Structure formats: structure tokens, C-alpha cells
């Protein structure tokens, strides 16, 4: 694998690539500041399908934007999830009266940032849902029980069939049902000769000569295992297909393949395999499928679909179309029509590049006006009380920054204290600017959430999601009962309880895993169950303190070995959980006797 590049670093390269894509495809437009590619021809009467993720996987995701696939794609930096702000920008460019589907690859950053965007968009009145794409079979059920399976190249089948259904005018529920069924009937396994190399960064460890890696991912993460000496190509393919098809492998038999099922094959180039070898690998795969598994693919797609920069690897994906038929009651004929349907997406094989007429401007204009103005509909709170509570909470958290940092240095990367301080200073700046003066609750909550989101990171995303979801629940209540709604502690508890449930849909972290959830879960559940803010804060503090000596099973601290702390019993409390508890105690104290 070459470590030489024409660009000495990745800085600025993402946008340069997107500019090239738009320059040669007249139906596409670029929002450069947000790194969003969107279709100028998407009609708001049709379901909007959006996807995205880190760059370095080109042509994913922007190469799949066009009628018949994606309405928009969001691009992060190399191997980094796009921010919530970027996802919201994509939603604003391709609004839909029928609904919006966010297709994500089930990595932590994507779950959190797209999840927060979903909460925000729902609060603005959009009908929006997340469709997680999880086709990897290299890592079995046991290894992925906490995080879920990775999304790999069979994602493309989800985007193609879901996007074609949207273009054909299918309603939101049917598009979601087809997309979920495609994901449930798709499997992928990858292998590689080496890791990729990112311009401007230190070289990742090399895979030894005469060795290949089975189960390689697309972010330089280690594979399932290395095999040496190199077996024959037929043996490699046979081994890969067993991970996809062997019903005796109970840890990985994710999809049932019956005799006579209609199956499609997708061969993906990780970016560093020559077409000379890739086509030959495809033929070997087809022959082994027929010989060992009596499967003759009805469709074969071969290309760079979802790469890993210049990694010298490839992957096999299989899609059981008959399984989708059984799950959705959609005929195989119809499903193959959706798969074969023409699309303007430039990266999909066999698509045409014809010019398209833009839809009537009037239709776009009417749908663009979707942002709900909530100030006049917002419940009122006492300005002095809410400002005092927020100031006290922020001050307490900032004061605790040295301790939070100390705890995080021992078990993490040491940035938690700085992040918490940044969030709180952002909130204080908004308070200084008169945020609470009107007493309108929704603008206050929106601005506090925005200050938290601005800092980024996993902790920021989790807090942002629960705040946005809490606000959305209150907005739904106001829409139902009117702006005179009283937001008392009981109503707050109900909203917090549902917000917690929504948050838990975006993260697998639970109480007992040594994360901020050890404070948030008892707080929200306590507030909902007892309608007593003081007792809920006590529950959060107790949950945070319980993380002392706790073994981490989620988050970055889960990767710290025995040398990360002298013993697990000596481990400090989780910094995120403690920060949340300290903030909540400060908020309660700042309110005085009011709840």
C-alpha cells in the first residue's frame, strides 16, 4: 500500500472533490460550508431519502444523489461523522411533504448526530425517521451486542431500493418498510491485504506479507483475524461466503437463504484493488456461489461503491430478494424493477446522465416554508427563576472542570472537562445577551441546546439529543392543548421520560456501563415517576457516584486496559456522569424553593 499522496493532508480536499462531482452533474448542487450535495430536481411531494457519513468512502455518499436514489448526502471530514448542523442543512435543501428518511451506517457518531437532527427536525414539524443500515457479518452477535452491526457496502441496496420507491411515489411507510426489509436481508463480509493510508497522518501498522485480513472494516479498524500463509483465491472466497451463508454459524446466520431464493450479488472495491483483479474476483465468487451454495445471482453489481481511501481490499454482499418479498408482500418483479430502475445518481452502475427539467419553482417555495415559529406559542416561565437556575448550574459545572478533567485523564482522553466548560460558557454568553428576558420557554431551550451542540463530541451529542427531544415533547403537548399549557414538574417529568426513551434509540449505553447515562437515566426516570425535582437530582448524583470503580462497557473508556488505572476498584467516577449530576444540582440550587 502506498503512503505517498499528491495532497500532503486532507485539509480542504473534501470540498474539492465535491466541487468536481457537481461540475459534471447538472442536476446536483453543493452547499460547500456544510459539505452537502443535494438534488436540484427532487420534488417535495416525494419522500426524501438522505444519507451521509465520513469522507474517504467515495463515491459514498454524494455519488448516490439523484432522482431514484438519494435526495441529499452529508459529508464529514475523513472517517468523521458529519455534525448535526450539516444534517439539518441537508434537510432544509430537500424538504418533503411526504416524509424524510435518514439512512445511516450505525456508527456511534452517525447515530448521535443524525439522531439529534431527527429530534430537531421533528420539533420543526417534519415527519422524519432513521433507517439504520447494518449488514456486516464478520463481527457476530456476541461481539456486537452492545454496539450493533456495522454498515458496509450492502448499504447501497438499501439506498437504491428505498430511493427508487420514493421516486416512484411510494408513501413514507412503504419506503421505510422496503428499506428496513432490504437491510434485514443483506449480508456483507470484507477482506483486505492491508490498511489504507490517510494523507498527512502516521502510517497505520502494515499487514505482514503473505497475509490477508478477513472481516476488515472501512475505517482502518482491525479485521476479525489475519490468515497466513496466503491461501488460494478460491479458499479466500469460500471462507468469506461461509460467514455470509452458513446456517450452522449461529453467531452470524443473520439472513436465511432458502433454495430457489432470488439473490443479488454486489462486489465492492475498497479503493486499492485494480479492476483487473476485481473482475476476476467477481468471477471466482460467482463460481463458488454456484458450486458450494447452489446460488446463481439474478443481478451482479461490481464497482467502487463504498471505499476506504486506498485500502487494497474488497467485500462481498448478498441480498435475498425473496426474503424482502416475504417480509413486505412486495413481489420480486416489483423489487427487481426498483433495483433496475434508472437513476441520475452518477455513481450507480448503468445509470444515464441526461439533463432534467427542474420542478415548478412554486412547488419548492410552498414546501420550503416548513420552519415553525414557536415564540408566540411558547409557554411562559419566570425569567428570573430560569436564568438563576441556569447560571448556577453552569457556574457549578465550570468550577468542577479541574476534577472532571482529572477523572477523564485517568480513564479517557482528557477532553471532557474542557467540553463541559465550553458548553456552559456558551450558555452563559446567551444568558448575558438576554436570553431569558421574555420568559418564552421554547427559545430558551433551543438556544441552550444549540450552545451544547456547538461543542460537539459524544457527550455534547447525548445532551443535545435529550434536550431537543424534551423540547419536542413539550411542543407536541402545546400543539395539542394550546399555548396556555403549564410546564410544571409533572409535565416536565413526562417529557423527560419520553426524551430518555428517544435518546436510548440512538445509543446502546445503559445504566451500569460507566457513562453519562448512569446519571441521566435515574434522573429522567425519577422525574417522570415521582414528579419531584429534588429527588430526581439525588438519583442522578447517586447514579454518578456509583460509577466509581465501575468497569466501562461503553464509550472510549471501555478500551482502557488494566494499566489505565491501578485497579478497576481504584477507577475514578465517570466524568460525564459527574458533570451531569453537578449541573443538575446547581440548577436545583439556583431555583431555590421553586420546582
Amino acid at each position: 500500500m502506498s503512503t505517498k499522496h499528491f495532497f500532503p493532508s486532507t485539509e480542504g480536499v473534501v470540498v474539492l472533490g465535491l466541487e468536481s462531482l457537481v461540475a459534471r452533474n447538472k442536476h446536483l448542487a453543493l452547499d460547500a460550508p456544510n459539505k452537502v450535495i443535494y438534488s436540484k430536481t427532487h420534488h417535495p411531494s416525494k419522500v426524501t431519502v438522505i444519507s451521509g457519513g465520513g469522507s474517504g468512502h467515495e463515491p459514498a455518499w454524494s455519488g448516490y444523489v439523484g432522482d431514484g436514489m438519494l435526495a441529499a448526502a452529508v459529508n464529514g471530514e475523513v472517517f468523521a461523522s458529519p455534525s448535526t448542523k450539516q444534517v439539518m442543512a441537508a434537510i432544509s435543501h430537500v424538504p418533503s411533504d411526504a416524509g424524510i428518511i435518514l439512512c445511516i451506517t450505525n456508527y456511534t457518531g452517525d447515530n448521535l448526530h443524525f439522531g439529534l437532527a431527527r429530534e430537531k427536525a421533528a420539533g420543526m414539524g417534519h415527519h422524519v425517521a432513521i433507517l439504520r443500515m447494518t449488514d456486516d457479518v464478520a463481527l457476530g452477535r456476541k461481539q456486537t451486542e452492545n454496539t450493533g452491526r456495522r454498515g458496509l457496502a450492502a448499504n447501497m441496496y438499501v439506498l437504491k431500493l428505498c430511493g427508487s420507491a420514493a421516486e416512484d411515489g411510494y408513501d413514507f411507510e412503504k419506503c421505510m418498510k422496503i428499506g428496513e426489509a432490504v437491510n434485514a436481508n443483506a449480508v456483507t463480509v470484507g477482506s483486505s491485504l492491508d490498511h489504507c493510508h490517510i494523507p498527512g497522518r502516521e502510517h497505520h501498522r502494515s499487514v505482514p506479507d503473505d497475509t490477508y485480513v478477513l472481516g476488515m472494516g472501512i475505517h482502518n479498524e482491525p479485521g476479525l483475524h489475519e490468515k497466513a500463509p496466503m491461501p488460494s483465491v478460491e479458499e479466500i472466497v469460500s471462507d468469506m461466503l461461509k460467514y455470509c451463508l452458513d446456517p450452522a454459524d449461529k453467531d452470524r446466520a443473520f439472513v436465511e437463504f432458502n433454495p430457489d431464493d432470488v439473490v443479488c450479488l454486489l462486489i465492492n472495491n475498497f479503493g486499492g484493488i485494480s479492476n483487473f483483479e476485481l473482475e476476476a474476483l467477481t468471477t471466482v465468487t460467482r463460481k463458488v456461489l454456484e458450486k458450494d451454495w447452489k446460488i446463481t445471482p439474478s443481478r451482479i453489481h461490481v464497482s467502487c461503491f463504498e471505499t476506504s481511501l486506498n485500502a487494497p481490499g474488497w467485500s462481498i454482499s448478498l441480498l435475498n430478494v425473496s426474503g424482502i418479498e416475504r417480509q413486505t408482500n412486495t413481489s420480486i418483479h416489483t423489487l427487481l424493477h426498483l433495483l433496475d430502475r434508472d437513476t441520475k445518481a452518477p455513481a450507480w452502475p448503468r445509470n444515464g446522465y441526461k439533463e432534467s427539467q427542474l420542478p415548478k419553482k412554486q412547488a419548492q417555495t410552498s414546501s420550503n416554508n416548513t420552519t415553525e415559529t414557536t415564540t408566540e406559542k411558547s409557554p411562559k416561565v419566570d425569567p428570573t427563576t430560569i436564568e438563576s437556575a441556569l447560571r448556577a448550574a453552569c457556574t457549578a459545572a465550570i468550577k468542577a472542570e479541574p476534577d472532571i478533567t482529572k477523572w477523564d485523564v485517568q480513564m479517557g482522553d482528557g477532553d471532557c472537562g474542557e467540553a463541559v466548560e465550553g458548553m456552559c460558557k456558551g450558555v452563559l454568553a446567551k444568558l448575558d445577551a438576554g436570553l431569558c428576558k421574555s420568559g418564552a420557554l421554547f427559545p430558551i431551550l433551543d438556544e441552550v441546546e444549540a450552545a451544547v451542540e456547538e461543542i460537539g463530541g459524544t457527550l455534547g451529542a447525548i445532551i443535545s439529543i435529550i434536550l431537543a427531544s424534551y423540547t419536542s415533547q413539550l411542543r407536541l403537548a402545546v400543539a395539542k392543548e394550546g399555548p396556555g399549557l403549564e410546564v410544571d414538574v409533572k409535565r416536565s417529568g413526562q417529557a423527560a421520560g419520553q426524551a430518555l426513551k428517544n435518546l436510548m434509540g440512538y445509543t446502546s449505553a445503559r445504566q451500569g456501563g460507566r457513562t453519562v447515562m448512569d446519571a441521566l437515566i435515574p434522573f429522567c426516570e425519577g422525574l417522570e415517576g415521582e414528579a419531584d425535582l429534588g429527588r430526581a437530582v439525588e438519583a442522578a448524583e447517586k447514579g454518578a457516584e456509583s460509577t466509581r470503580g465501575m468497569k466501562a462497557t461503553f464509550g472510549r473508556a471501555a478500551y482502557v486496559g488494566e494499566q489505565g488505572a491501578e485497579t478497576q476498584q481504584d477507577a475514578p467516577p465517570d466524568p460525564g456522569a459527574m458533570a451531569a449530576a453537578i449541573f443538575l444540582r446547581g440548577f436545583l440550587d439556583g431555583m431555590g424553593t421553586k420546582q
Side-chain angles (χ1 to χ4, degrees), residues 128-167:
V128 57
I130 283 183
L131 200 167
R132 291 178 178 84
M133 302 182 290
T134 56
D135 54 300
D136 178 33
V137 296
L139 308 181
R141 290 179 171 86
K142 185 175 181 180
Q143 194 168 348
T144 61
E145 61 184 352
N146 286 335
T147 59
R149 293 157 66 197
R150 299 177 294 191
L152 297 175
N155 295 342
M156 301 309 119
Y157 280 138
V158 177
L159 304 184
K160 184 61 174 69
L161 275 87
C162 194
S164 289
E167 184 63 21

Side-chain angles (χ1 to χ4, degrees), residues 378-387 390 435-445 470 474 485-488 492 591 594:
S378 177
K380 297 287 186 176
V381 294
D382 180 65
T384 303
T385 300
I386 190 68
E387 179 165 349
L390 286 171
L435 173 62
C436 298
K437 188 179 296 184
S438 70
L441 180 59
F442 291 158
I444 295 172
L445 291 173
Y470 171 80
L474 293 180
L485 175 78
E486 182 184 357
V487 184
D488 56 12
S492 291
M591 288 189 69
K594 296 184 178 181

Side-chain angles (χ1 to χ4, degrees), residues 221-291:
E221 62 267 53
L224 182 64
H225 54 246
E226 297 181 0
K227 289 198 171 184
M230 280 278 290
S232 69
V233 169
E234 289 76 12
E235 289 178 88
I236 292 173
V237 171
S238 179
D239 200 17
M240 292 171 71
L241 287 175
K242 285 179 183 177
Y243 281 83
C244 294
L245 295 167
D246 187 2
D249 186 350
K250 299 305 181 184
D251 197 37
R252 292 181 178 81
F254 292 102
V255 178
E256 182 180 7
F257 289 84
N258 298 321
D260 301 322
D261 278 350
V262 174
V263 177
C264 296
L265 168 66
L266 184 146
I267 301 294
N268 175 52
N269 188 342
F270 279 7
I273 295 287
S274 68
N275 287 336
F276 172 79
E277 280 197 283
L278 192 70
E279 296 292 357
L281 287 167
T282 302
T283 295
V284 173
T285 302
R286 179 175 55 80
K287 290 181 176 181
V288 175
L289 271 173
E290 292 173 352
K291 177 172 68 74

Side-chain angles (χ1 to χ4, degrees), residues 474-548:
L474 293 180
R475 280 196 168 110
L476 291 172
V478 167
K480 183 178 180 180
E481 301 180 32
L485 175 78
E486 182 184 357
V487 184
D488 56 12
V489 68
K490 181 178 181 181
R491 178 72 68 177
S492 291
Q494 293 169 346
Q498 186 57 51
L500 175 64
K501 293 182 178 70
N502 292 347
L503 171 62
M504 292 169 76
Y506 303 117
T507 174
S508 53
R510 296 293 184 266
Q511 198 167 359
R514 188 182 168 81
T515 69
V516 67
M517 300 298 280
D518 285 293
L520 291 182
I521 290 175
F523 174 77
C524 292
E525 290 180 346
L527 192 63
E528 182 181 29
E530 299 186 49
D532 187 315
L533 181 59
R535 291 177 66 86
V537 170
E538 289 174 1
E541 291 173 326
K542 184 177 179 181
E545 284 292 338
S546 73
T547 62
R548 291 183 186 273

